[in-house]
Amino acid sequence: MPAASAVFPGASWAAAPEAEPGSACRRDLDATRSYLRTLDTTALMAVQDGRVLFSEGPAQSVSIVFSVRKSVLSMMYGKYVANGTIDLDRTLADLGIDDVGGLLPIERQARLRDLLAARSGVYHAAANGGDDAAAAPPRGSHAPGSYFLYNNWDFNAAGTAFERLTGRSIYEAFVNDLATPLQLEDFDLSRHVRSGDARRSQHLAYPFYLSTRDMARLGYLMLRQGNWQGRQLVPADWVDQMTRQTTPAAQMHPPHTARRGFGYGYLWWLLEEPQDSPLAGAYMAWGVHGQYILVVPKRQMVIAHKRQVPVAGNWNVSWVGPVAFLRAARMLAAAPCSAGER
């Protein structure tokens, strides 16, 4: 779709024209809705050609999105890489980044780009859990850049490096660089603060609390190659870099991570789909329990999904895993619902 004809939301999303009753599009959307109601989905919103094609559940409800935060940080890096504020080839040693108990000399040779690719070779404890650190090899056993491990230390230290080099907090930069120009409807800066156990690591996590409809705006910015109503919020070549494969699924560690069948770019997961799949070329932000921003360029579509936690104060609740979510996503992406087919 040419940039000149792109449709963007204003203060709120516009709905796509409804499909004719009995049409193939309507049947497929109804089937997707029936399937979603068998899951523990809180909300799902699918945007196609800039308008809301499908919505289920309270899309305005705000909750923690877990590791989606990492993909958001990667988006924020782009502006500062482009203007020279951030040099991805600088090392931890260059930046004076260390940690509790000290990093090893080989670990301090990790570059910023290694952190974004989850290939730092740093296996220091992270300030928070929710990664594959239990499967980490011995410290100092792998040179930076040589070995993929989904490790929160990398992602948190990338946050520290961002703040150190830009002189801005992650959250303030997010408001100025993304939330305000995108007109996020539900973002509340006051509830955002870095967190974690500083006794384990001085590099804290940076949780984000987003609504499903605001997640869709972030995904739509990615689909539009970082351009929002003519303003380049994220450099287009950075969008390409984030979503270019640095690690195919087969090269991931531990084995259960490789078996998922997703590659990795710079803090974005890349689907490895056959060319005839409606999801071929798609990529996603993914947080535990079932937080997803899936970008499907082949269908000019973004699908945002939320499984809100905690539930009645309980964090130990069921998930909507990627197999279940992607089944719904395939149904939506395969539905004959583009503007010319309704």
Side-chain angles (χ1 to χ4, degrees):
M1 186 168 62
S5 63
V7 173
F8 292 88
S12 61
W13 284 99
E18 290 223 358
E20 291 294 324
S23 71
C25 171
R26 173 63 65 87
R27 286 195 300 272
D28 286 1
L29 296 184
D30 288 346
T32 305
R33 196 177 308 277
S34 295
Y35 172 63
L36 277 176
R37 289 176 178 175
T38 71
L39 307 177
D40 288 315
T41 294
T42 300
L44 182 148
M45 177 184 283
V47 173
Q48 187 173 40
D49 300 323
R51 297 181 177 89
V52 178
L53 172 70
F54 178 97
S55 187
E56 173 74 4
Q60 77 282 3
S61 184
V62 174
S63 61
I64 190 169
V65 293
F66 297 103
S67 290
V68 169
R69 70 185 178 98
K70 300 158 190 174
S71 303
V72 173
L73 179 69
S74 189
M75 294 172 72
M76 293 167 60
Y77 256 75
K79 168 183 175 179
Y80 301 97
V81 171
N83 69 20
T85 301
I86 294 177
D87 177 352
L88 295 180
D89 289 314
R90 294 188 72 181
T91 66
L92 301 180
D94 293 337
L95 299 175
I97 289 179
D98 210 328
D99 210 343
V100 176
L103 295 180
L104 302 175
I106 190 174
E107 293 174 330
R108 300 192 76 218
Q109 293 310 303
R111 303 165 298 171
L112 288 183
R113 68 175 68 250
D114 298 324
L115 302 183
L116 300 183
R119 301 180 73 98
S120 73
V122 179
Y123 307 123
H124 188 286
N128 63 312
D131 58 8
D132 288 331
R139 289 184 63 183
S141 61
H142 291 279
S146 68
Y147 187 95
F148 178 95
L149 185 80
Y150 188 79
N151 177 11
N152 277 338
W153 193 93
D154 288 13
F155 313 133
N156 295 343
T160 297
F162 177 90
E163 293 189 335
R164 189 168 295 187
L165 289 169
T166 66
R168 307 168 74 190
S169 82
I170 288 170
Y171 300 125
E172 291 170 351
F174 178 74
V175 168
N176 293 330
D177 297 345
L178 295 179
T180 297
L182 293 178
Q183 293 181 271
L184 296 193
E185 296 181 73
D186 308 302
F187 184 76
D188 179 2
L189 177 62
S190 68
R191 72 182 300 180
H192 287 78
V193 62
R194 295 191 73 170
S195 64
D197 186 348
R199 296 168 299 180
R200 290 170 55 84
S201 172
Q202 63 187 245
H203 307 295
L204 301 181
Y206 38 92
F208 271 83
Y209 298 82
L210 299 169
S211 66
T212 306
R213 63 188 181 183
D214 285 347
M215 292 162 69
R217 288 186 186 240
L218 291 165
Y220 194 59
L221 178 64
M222 291 290 287
L223 179 67
R224 301 306 318 162
Q225 290 288 297
N227 188 286
W228 195 264
Q229 297 181 337
R231 182 178 174 189
Q232 200 70 40
L233 303 182
V234 179
D237 59 355
W238 183 248
V239 175
D240 290 339
Q241 178 67 68
M242 283 188 285
T243 58
R244 185 181 309 143
Q245 192 172 79
T246 57
T247 305
Q251 294 180 15
M252 291 187 171
H253 309 93
H256 74 79
T257 301
R259 286 194 294 269
R260 291 169 176 159
F262 304 135
Y264 207 66
Y266 280 176
L267 304 182
W268 283 82
W269 296 95
L270 315 180
L271 275 61
E272 295 185 351
E273 294 273 317
Q275 283 304 306
D276 61 353
S277 166
L279 300 184
Y283 52 89
M284 69 183 179
W286 173 18
V288 71
H289 287 291
Q291 330 305 323
Y292 302 98
I293 303 173
L294 178 70
V295 182
V296 189
K298 189 173 183 179
R299 298 291 287 161
Q300 288 297 310
M301 181 177 285
V302 172
I303 304 172
H305 180 280
K306 173 77 69 70
R307 195 297 189 234
Q308 188 163 325
V309 290
V311 177
N314 181 20
W315 292 87
N316 187 23
V317 296
S318 61
W319 298 18
V320 178
V323 172
F325 165 67
L326 289 176
R327 177 179 170 186
R330 285 189 181 91
M331 295 170 75
L332 289 167
C337 296
S338 68
E341 297 172 306
R342 285 192 191 100

